[in-house]
């Protein structure tokens, strides 16, 4: 069975008990991914990596990504004047691979830094948290909720790799020049012939024809919160201009703004480093990108139907980096810089690692595999094209004037 019937039932129940018999797409996505028992990330359905996974990330290509990031964190600590305790707060740590690569590297190369380092993980998925705890049992890592970190308590760096794309997004459609929100409702077997007053925009059934679960159908309606329209003031997009066609559809990630507000509040002095795929707002909301960026990942294949494989597939949306920058600004985070992952890793030493490959004693097949992985991290059409946004808070002028290595221009 390639969907989770208990999850479908829980969603249908939520819809039937909601006042208007519908839930926002953001709530649907939140349940599908993070329902406490049956969500993709909460149950054992989530599968990352090459072997039998739904998708892979930079951390599945070996230790290099983590080790080069580790170099950047070390420089941050130096810029801050080598404080006696320095926090790294990793948010959305997946299988704990990145943490293990970073911590092993410090153990081998910089034990003095490891002694002052406090590594916290914020992880929403109970099953992934369990996997992280097993993998990292030899390291002094602590797990906590972001909300439970006291305000203004962290000196160090909050960081994430592919967290923000996994946060639930609202969806909207332009109808006669108006922003209308996409909602999800049910269309049970019995009322398929009778649409009532539902103004449906799409109709999908869960993938198995034998499903006893209700089908989910999209309807549009007024915006559920004024924050959705305000978002476009924030990022400087005006749908009355630039020739947006009727039916233009895209996403808004309010959860990312909420997340960044909390991070900014908890950070006293240091950095926020966000790595993800995405665009600045003017590219994100380009009139030609008329169907948005929502993607579903299932067994390394991607498609754009979030109403199949329910609870068994990942759903993501690209990140609007303009929103993170401008919202960060409002929350007291200064933009330090924005670059692409490929450039970021090159200046941190990926180029030297590639050059050193031929001097390493490895079999030809190992050598080729590693070379391919390193090149994949750089590929501008893939992982190398990801955005790296660095923001800061509470830095003195002298500290601000010291460029972060990863943001310098490669020679
Ligand atoms: C796409 S995976 C990326 C995992 C890992 N960073 C990597 O690069 O392989 C997204 C991760 O974020 C976690 N996550 C999603 N929403 C979260 C939230 N609000 N707080 C903490 N973790 C969250 C998921 O459970 C998962 O571990």
């Amino acid at each position: 069975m390639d969907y989770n019937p208990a999850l479908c039932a829980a969603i249908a129940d939520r819809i039937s008990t909601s006042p208007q018999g519908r839930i926002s797409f953001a709530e649907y996505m939140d349940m599908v991914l993070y329902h406490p028992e049956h969500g993709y990330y909460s149950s054992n359905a989530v599968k990352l990596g090459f072997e039998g996974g739904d998708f892979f990330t930079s951390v599945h290509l070996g230790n290099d990504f983590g080790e080069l990031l580790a170099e950047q964190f070390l420089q941050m600590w130096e810029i801050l004047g080598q404080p006696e305790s320095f926090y790294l707060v990793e948010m959305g740590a997946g299988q704990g691979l990145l943490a293990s690569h970073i911590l092993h590297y410090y153990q081998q190369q910089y034990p003095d830094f490891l002694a002052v380092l406090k590594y916290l993980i914020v992880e929403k998925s109970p099953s992934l948290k369990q996997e992280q705890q097993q993998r990292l049992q030899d390291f002094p890592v602590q797990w906590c909720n972001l909300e439970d970190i006291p305000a203004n308590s962290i000196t160090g760096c909050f960081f994430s790799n592919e967290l923000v794309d996994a946060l639930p997004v609202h969806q909207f459609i332009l109808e006669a020049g108006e922003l209308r929100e996409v909602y999800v409702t049910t269309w049970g077997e019995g009322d398929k012939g009778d649409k009532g007053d539902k103004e449906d925009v799409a109709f999908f059934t869960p993938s198995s024809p034998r499903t006893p679960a209700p089908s989910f159908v999209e309807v549009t309606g007024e915006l559920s919160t004024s924050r959705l329209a305000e978002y476009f003031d924030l990022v400087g997009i005006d749908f009355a201009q630039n020739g947006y066609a009727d039916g233009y559809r895209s996403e808004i990630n309010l959860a990312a703004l909420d997340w960044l507000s909390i991070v900014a509040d908890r950070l006293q002095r240091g950095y926020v480093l966000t790595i993800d795929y995405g665009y600045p707002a003017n590219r994100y909301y380009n009139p030609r990108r008329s169907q948005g960026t929502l993607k579903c990942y299932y067994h390394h294949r991607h498609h754009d139907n979030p109403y199949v494989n329910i609870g068994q597939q990942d759903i993501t949306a690209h990140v609007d980096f303009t929103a993170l920058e401008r919202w960060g600004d409002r929350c007291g985070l200064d933009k330090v810089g924005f670059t692409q992952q490929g450039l970021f890793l090159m200046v941190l030493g990926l180029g030297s690692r590639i050059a050193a490959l031929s001097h390493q004693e490895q079999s030809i097949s190992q050598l080729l595999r590693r070379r391919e992985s390193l090149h994949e991290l750089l590929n501008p059409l893939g992982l190398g094209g990801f955005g790296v946004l660095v923001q800061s808070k509470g830095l003195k002028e002298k500290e601000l004037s010291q460029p972060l290595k990863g943001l310098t221009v490669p020679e």
Side-chain angles (χ1 to χ4, degrees):
M1 193 182 289
D2 48 9
Y3 66 93
N4 183 329
L7 177 61
C8 291
I11 297 169
D13 191 46
R14 177 77 192 86
I15 289 171
S16 71
T17 55
S18 65
Q20 289 178 287
R22 65 185 193 193
I23 56 176
S24 69
F25 182 82
E27 192 176 347
Y28 172 79
M29 182 166 164
D30 191 39
M31 286 191 83
V32 162
L33 296 182
Y34 304 111
H35 180 281
E37 276 170 79
H38 309 299
Y40 174 72
Y41 279 101
S42 318
S43 62
N44 287 324
V46 56
K47 291 182 195 69
L48 297 104
F50 293 105
E51 302 282 319
D54 293 316
F55 61 95
F56 72 92
T57 71
S58 297
V59 306
H60 296 104
L61 293 167
N63 302 351
D64 301 275
F65 178 72
E67 293 182 358
L68 295 166
L69 264 178
E71 286 288 343
Q72 183 56 90
F73 297 140
L74 183 70
Q75 192 214 3
M76 289 173 173
W77 175 63
E78 285 161 355
I79 291 176
L80 295 184
Q82 305 189 337
E84 272 173 26
S85 69
F86 182 87
Y87 281 88
L88 280 179
V89 187
E90 182 178 356
M91 299 162 291
Q95 296 154 297
L97 285 169
L98 182 54
S100 86
H101 298 157
I102 291 171
L103 291 164
H104 270 118
Y105 186 65
Y106 288 146
Q107 194 173 51
Q108 282 159 12
Q109 304 290 329
Y110 302 104
D112 291 351
F113 178 54
L114 190 59
V116 301
L117 180 65
K118 295 191 169 24
Y119 203 107
L120 297 182
I121 290 184
V122 174
E123 174 52 61
K124 190 162 178 170
S125 154
S127 66
L128 288 174
K129 182 172 165 186
Q130 210 174 23
E131 191 172 340
Q132 293 159 13
Q133 287 175 332
Q134 268 167 12
R135 176 161 281 120
L136 299 167
Q137 53 189 309
D138 294 336
F139 292 105
V141 176
Q142 287 183 310
W143 281 261
C144 62
N145 295 320
L146 196 56
E147 292 78 5
D148 296 341
I149 298 175
N152 272 316
S153 65
I154 297 292
T155 294
C157 180
F158 281 88
F159 73 101
S160 62
N161 182 51
E162 297 202 33
L163 163 74
V164 184
D165 71 76
L167 300 177
V169 291
H170 288 80
Q171 285 205 310
F172 68 91
I173 295 190
L174 279 184
E175 287 177 355
E178 292 283 305
L179 277 182
R180 302 270 293 168
E181 186 165 344
V182 175
Y183 293 87
V184 180
T185 187
T186 44
W187 196 345
E189 288 297 313
D191 56 4
K192 269 185 189 162
D194 171 22
K195 293 183 196 172
D197 56 1
K198 285 172 191 158
E199 188 188 340
D200 59 305
V201 293
F203 178 60
F204 301 98
T205 54
S207 50
S208 165
R210 286 169 288 131
T211 177
S215 307
F216 295 113
V217 57
E218 293 185 343
V219 292
T220 55
E222 71 289 0
L223 301 182
S224 59
T225 159
S226 57
R227 292 180 70 202
L228 293 168
E230 287 156 16
Y231 181 93
F232 292 108
D233 296 333
L234 177 75
V235 300
I237 296 293
D238 180 359
F239 289 108
Q241 312 266 328
N242 303 327
Y244 288 92
D246 219 40
Y248 178 91
R249 176 182 178 127
S250 194
E251 300 83 36
I252 300 173
N253 194 338
L254 294 182
L257 307 189
D258 296 339
W259 159 78
L260 198 58
S261 298
I262 304 177
V263 169
D265 179 68
R266 285 9 180 208
L267 182 63
Q268 188 196 36
R269 208 161 79 84
Y271 300 90
V272 182
L273 186 150
T274 307
I275 304 181
D276 221 313
Y277 41 92
Y279 310 110
N282 60 353
R283 282 186 61 202
Y284 199 110
Y285 299 107
N286 186 306
R288 277 175 301 181
R289 199 183 303 288
S290 64
Q291 292 306 300
T293 68
L294 198 89
K295 282 265 169 298
C296 307
Y297 289 86
Y298 182 64
H299 295 188
H300 289 291
R301 268 183 276 170
H302 63 87
H303 63 86
D304 53 12
N305 186 350
Y307 305 102
V308 296
N309 309 319
I310 295 171
Q312 304 289 337
Q313 68 179 7
D314 195 19
I315 308 178
T316 81
H318 279 50
V319 174
D320 173 355
F321 281 104
T322 306
L324 296 188
E325 280 176 33
R326 294 194 182 171
W327 189 256
D329 207 38
R330 289 194 187 175
C331 304
L333 295 175
D334 299 317
K335 178 181 171 185
V336 179
F338 178 76
T339 187
Q340 290 197 329
Q341 172 166 310
L343 300 176
F344 181 75
L345 297 179
M346 274 307 269
V347 278
L348 286 167
L350 188 55
S352 330
R353 286 177 182 232
I354 292 174
L357 274 176
S358 50
H359 307 298
Q360 285 168 6
E361 287 179 13
Q362 283 175 319
S363 68
I364 291 286
S365 63
Q366 280 174 324
L367 201 69
L368 289 177
R369 212 171 317 127
R370 189 159 141 71
R371 200 179 74 136
E372 201 180 312
S373 296
L374 296 181
H375 280 273
E376 205 154 338
L377 288 173
L378 290 179
N379 179 3
L381 299 176
L383 296 169
F386 279 26
V388 182
L389 174 66
V390 186
Q391 296 160 294
S392 74
K393 184 179 167 192
L395 264 58
K396 299 180 193 116
E397 217 166 293
K398 191 170 141 248
E399 294 161 345
L400 276 173
S401 69
Q402 296 183 59
L404 285 180
K405 204 170 168 189
L407 296 176
T408 52
V409 180
E411 288 167 12

